[in-house]
Amino acid sequence: MARIAVLTGGGDCPGLNSVIRAVVRKGISEGYEVLGIKNGWKGLIENDTMPLDLNSVSGILPKGGTILGTSRTNPYKQQGDLQKLKDNYKNLGLHALIATGGEDTLGVAYKLTEDGIPNIVGVPKTIDNDLSCTDYTFGFDTALNVAMECIDRLHTTAESHHRIIVAEVMGRHAGWIAIESGIAGGADVILIPEIPIDIEEVCAIIKKRHARGKTFSIVVVAEGAQFKEGTFVTQEHKLDDFGHVRLGGIGENLAAEIEKRTGYETRVSVLGHIQRGGSPTAFDRVLGTRFGVKAVELVTNKKFGRMAALSGNKIIDVALEEAVKALKTVDPELYNIARVFFG
Ligand code: F6P
């Protein structure tokens, strides 16, 4: 019986368990033995695995997070890790590996296919929705709906207190969560990393809105947004294994500027990891399930070095190499739609 493995790497997100369940159900039905690698690439470096059978994935569909655990470990970072990973892959007798992750995890997956472990396929995950070659990554829809609900809640308190509230959302260097939750939640200004913040314009929009009788405003800002003259705001200077900074804090700076320039009382609410937790939406459960099934089909059809992807309403496969080449950022056309509702 050929043995295949599945891992989940990078930031967790709702829907990961749908992928694991689908890989196990489809894998077993195709005659594979399925192994779970714990904590992303770390588990393959440390030979930390768990067998996955029908019972181990029973009841996990509605659960957020990942039963396998995750990490931001990069096997190319520490000397010796890559060799350990390769040795473990060989000793485990793996026929193929299904790597579920975002740009970092799948970037490693692609490198490994070039570097001695060719039988890898990818599944695109991230709340940031910033992976190329797929219309959506799973996890995004849940995060978006959580952010939208928070914006709805912020509306009622902002209105009662006649305040401006700045809602800072995640998304790293892409503004997908901000733009879509802002449109869905009826934000009065939306600021994304793709377009530098013009603070004069932001304040002018708010003042104009207040001049027509509104006494509160909601501003949604992506954590990766930056002022025209500035750079992005970070929580700490330390970089992770993949060279990423920890973003966060732009909301605070923005709120201070808005209050100073408009005179309106302004508060900030940082949504943070709330966006990544909890039960996946139906959309993410279905997408994760479709991706998981597709990944096993790719293995069976020996289409290695490929990633399951969504195109329109079809699940297709694309080259991992293409998917990790560049970030997918917000289309200016979508921003223009959002702008119609500013102020
Ligand atoms: O990539 C997902 C994400 O939630 C980003 O939106 C955010 O910048 C980052 O992960 C936060 O990472 P951590 O969970 O390591 O703080």
Short mmCIF file of all heavy atoms in Angstrom, two decimals, residues 95-123:
data_model
loop_
_atom_site.label_atom_id
_atom_site.label_comp_id
_atom_site.label_asym_id
_atom_site.label_seq_id
_atom_site.Cartn_x
_atom_site.Cartn_y
_atom_site.Cartn_z
N HIS A 95 5.42 7.97 -0.62
CA HIS A 95 5.26 8.02 -2.08
C HIS A 95 5.03 9.47 -2.51
O HIS A 95 5.50 9.89 -3.58
CB HIS A 95 4.07 7.15 -2.48
CG HIS A 95 3.57 7.42 -3.87
ND1 HIS A 95 4.36 7.26 -4.99
CD2 HIS A 95 2.36 7.86 -4.32
CE1 HIS A 95 3.66 7.58 -6.08
NE2 HIS A 95 2.45 7.96 -5.69
N ALA A 96 4.30 10.23 -1.69
CA ALA A 96 4.02 11.63 -2.05
C ALA A 96 3.64 12.41 -0.81
O ALA A 96 3.27 11.84 0.23
CB ALA A 96 2.88 11.69 -3.06
N LEU A 97 3.74 13.75 -0.94
CA LEU A 97 3.41 14.64 0.17
C LEU A 97 2.45 15.72 -0.31
O LEU A 97 2.66 16.33 -1.38
CB LEU A 97 4.70 15.29 0.69
CG LEU A 97 4.55 16.38 1.74
CD1 LEU A 97 3.98 15.81 3.05
CD2 LEU A 97 5.88 17.05 2.02
N ILE A 98 1.41 15.96 0.49
CA ILE A 98 0.46 17.04 0.20
C ILE A 98 0.75 18.16 1.19
O ILE A 98 0.55 18.00 2.40
CB ILE A 98 -1.00 16.53 0.29
CG1 ILE A 98 -1.24 15.49 -0.81
CG2 ILE A 98 -1.98 17.70 0.17
CD1 ILE A 98 -2.53 14.71 -0.67
N ALA A 99 1.25 19.29 0.67
CA ALA A 99 1.61 20.42 1.53
C ALA A 99 0.49 21.46 1.45
O ALA A 99 0.15 21.94 0.36
CB ALA A 99 2.92 21.03 1.07
N THR A 100 -0.06 21.80 2.61
CA THR A 100 -1.15 22.77 2.67
C THR A 100 -0.62 24.04 3.32
O THR A 100 -0.17 24.01 4.47
CB THR A 100 -2.31 22.20 3.52
OG1 THR A 100 -2.59 20.89 3.05
CG2 THR A 100 -3.55 23.06 3.43
N GLY A 101 -0.65 25.14 2.58
CA GLY A 101 -0.09 26.35 3.17
C GLY A 101 -0.21 27.55 2.25
O GLY A 101 -0.82 27.48 1.18
N GLY A 102 0.41 28.64 2.69
CA GLY A 102 0.42 29.86 1.91
C GLY A 102 1.74 30.00 1.16
O GLY A 102 2.44 29.00 0.92
N GLU A 103 2.11 31.24 0.85
CA GLU A 103 3.31 31.46 0.03
C GLU A 103 4.58 30.86 0.62
O GLU A 103 5.43 30.36 -0.11
CB GLU A 103 3.51 32.97 -0.23
CG GLU A 103 3.44 33.82 1.02
CD GLU A 103 4.31 35.07 0.96
OE1 GLU A 103 5.16 35.18 0.05
OE2 GLU A 103 4.15 35.93 1.83
N ASP A 104 4.72 30.88 1.96
CA ASP A 104 5.95 30.36 2.58
C ASP A 104 6.02 28.83 2.49
O ASP A 104 7.00 28.27 2.01
CB ASP A 104 6.02 30.79 4.05
CG ASP A 104 6.11 32.29 4.20
OD1 ASP A 104 6.61 32.94 3.26
OD2 ASP A 104 5.68 32.82 5.24
N THR A 105 4.95 28.18 2.99
CA THR A 105 4.92 26.71 2.99
C THR A 105 5.00 26.17 1.57
O THR A 105 5.74 25.21 1.29
CB THR A 105 3.61 26.24 3.66
OG1 THR A 105 3.57 26.82 4.97
CG2 THR A 105 3.55 24.73 3.76
N LEU A 106 4.27 26.79 0.66
CA LEU A 106 4.26 26.30 -0.72
C LEU A 106 5.54 26.71 -1.46
O LEU A 106 5.97 26.03 -2.40
CB LEU A 106 3.01 26.78 -1.45
CG LEU A 106 1.68 26.26 -0.86
CD1 LEU A 106 0.49 26.72 -1.69
CD2 LEU A 106 1.68 24.73 -0.77
N GLY A 107 6.15 27.80 -1.01
CA GLY A 107 7.46 28.19 -1.57
C GLY A 107 8.48 27.10 -1.26
O GLY A 107 9.28 26.69 -2.11
N VAL A 108 8.45 26.60 -0.03
CA VAL A 108 9.34 25.50 0.36
C VAL A 108 8.99 24.25 -0.45
O VAL A 108 9.87 23.54 -0.96
CB VAL A 108 9.23 25.20 1.88
CG1 VAL A 108 9.93 23.89 2.24
CG2 VAL A 108 9.82 26.35 2.69
N ALA A 109 7.68 23.99 -0.58
CA ALA A 109 7.24 22.81 -1.34
C ALA A 109 7.82 22.86 -2.76
O ALA A 109 8.35 21.86 -3.27
CB ALA A 109 5.71 22.75 -1.39
N TYR A 110 7.72 24.02 -3.38
CA TYR A 110 8.26 24.15 -4.74
C TYR A 110 9.77 23.91 -4.77
O TYR A 110 10.28 23.13 -5.59
CB TYR A 110 7.93 25.52 -5.34
CG TYR A 110 8.70 25.79 -6.59
CD1 TYR A 110 8.55 24.95 -7.70
CD2 TYR A 110 9.64 26.82 -6.66
CE1 TYR A 110 9.30 25.15 -8.85
CE2 TYR A 110 10.39 27.01 -7.80
CZ TYR A 110 10.22 26.17 -8.88
OH TYR A 110 10.98 26.35 -10.01
N LYS A 111 10.49 24.52 -3.81
CA LYS A 111 11.95 24.35 -3.76
C LYS A 111 12.31 22.87 -3.60
O LYS A 111 13.24 22.37 -4.23
CB LYS A 111 12.53 25.11 -2.56
CG LYS A 111 12.90 26.54 -2.86
CD LYS A 111 13.84 26.99 -1.74
CE LYS A 111 13.93 28.48 -1.63
NZ LYS A 111 14.55 28.90 -0.38
N LEU A 112 11.54 22.19 -2.74
CA LEU A 112 11.84 20.76 -2.50
C LEU A 112 11.62 19.93 -3.76
O LEU A 112 12.35 18.96 -4.00
CB LEU A 112 10.97 20.23 -1.36
CG LEU A 112 11.35 20.71 0.05
CD1 LEU A 112 10.29 20.27 1.06
CD2 LEU A 112 12.73 20.19 0.46
N THR A 113 10.63 20.30 -4.56
CA THR A 113 10.41 19.52 -5.80
C THR A 113 11.61 19.66 -6.74
O THR A 113 11.89 18.78 -7.55
CB THR A 113 9.13 19.96 -6.57
OG1 THR A 113 9.28 21.31 -6.98
CG2 THR A 113 7.88 19.77 -5.75
N GLU A 114 12.34 20.77 -6.60
CA GLU A 114 13.53 21.01 -7.43
C GLU A 114 14.78 20.44 -6.77
O GLU A 114 15.85 20.46 -7.35
CB GLU A 114 13.74 22.53 -7.58
CG GLU A 114 12.62 23.26 -8.25
CD GLU A 114 12.74 23.18 -9.76
OE1 GLU A 114 13.61 23.86 -10.32
OE2 GLU A 114 11.96 22.42 -10.36
N ASP A 115 14.60 20.01 -5.54
CA ASP A 115 15.75 19.75 -4.66
C ASP A 115 15.76 18.32 -4.14
O ASP A 115 16.19 18.09 -3.01
CB ASP A 115 15.59 20.72 -3.47
CG ASP A 115 16.90 21.38 -3.11
OD1 ASP A 115 17.91 21.08 -3.75
OD2 ASP A 115 16.89 22.21 -2.18
N GLY A 116 15.19 17.40 -4.87
CA GLY A 116 15.31 15.99 -4.47
C GLY A 116 14.04 15.34 -3.95
O GLY A 116 14.03 14.14 -3.69
N ILE A 117 12.96 16.11 -3.73
CA ILE A 117 11.69 15.48 -3.32
C ILE A 117 10.62 15.89 -4.34
O ILE A 117 9.83 16.83 -4.10
CB ILE A 117 11.27 15.89 -1.89
CG1 ILE A 117 12.40 15.59 -0.90
CG2 ILE A 117 10.00 15.13 -1.48
CD1 ILE A 117 12.05 15.78 0.55
N PRO A 118 10.61 15.25 -5.48
CA PRO A 118 9.72 15.73 -6.55
C PRO A 118 8.23 15.49 -6.34
O PRO A 118 7.41 16.22 -6.86
CB PRO A 118 10.20 14.94 -7.79
CG PRO A 118 10.93 13.76 -7.25
CD PRO A 118 11.44 14.12 -5.89
N ASN A 119 7.88 14.45 -5.51
CA ASN A 119 6.46 14.06 -5.44
C ASN A 119 5.65 14.88 -4.44
O ASN A 119 5.11 14.36 -3.48
CB ASN A 119 6.34 12.58 -5.10
CG ASN A 119 6.84 11.70 -6.23
OD1 ASN A 119 7.38 12.20 -7.22
ND2 ASN A 119 6.67 10.41 -6.10
N ILE A 120 5.58 16.18 -4.68
CA ILE A 120 4.82 17.05 -3.78
C ILE A 120 3.72 17.75 -4.56
O ILE A 120 3.92 18.19 -5.70
CB ILE A 120 5.74 18.11 -3.12
CG1 ILE A 120 6.87 17.42 -2.32
CG2 ILE A 120 4.94 19.02 -2.21
CD1 ILE A 120 7.78 18.37 -1.57
N VAL A 121 2.54 17.85 -3.94
CA VAL A 121 1.47 18.69 -4.50
C VAL A 121 1.05 19.68 -3.42
O VAL A 121 1.25 19.45 -2.22
CB VAL A 121 0.25 17.88 -5.02
CG1 VAL A 121 0.66 16.90 -6.09
CG2 VAL A 121 -0.46 17.16 -3.90
N GLY A 122 0.46 20.79 -3.84
CA GLY A 122 0.13 21.86 -2.90
C GLY A 122 -1.37 22.12 -2.80
O GLY A 122 -2.13 21.87 -3.74
N VAL A 123 -1.76 22.64 -1.64
CA VAL A 123 -3.14 23.09 -1.42
C VAL A 123 -3.06 24.52 -0.87
O VAL A 123 -2.37 24.77 0.12
CB VAL A 123 -3.88 22.17 -0.42
CG1 VAL A 123 -5.24 22.75 -0.05
CG2 VAL A 123 -4.06 20.77 -0.99
#
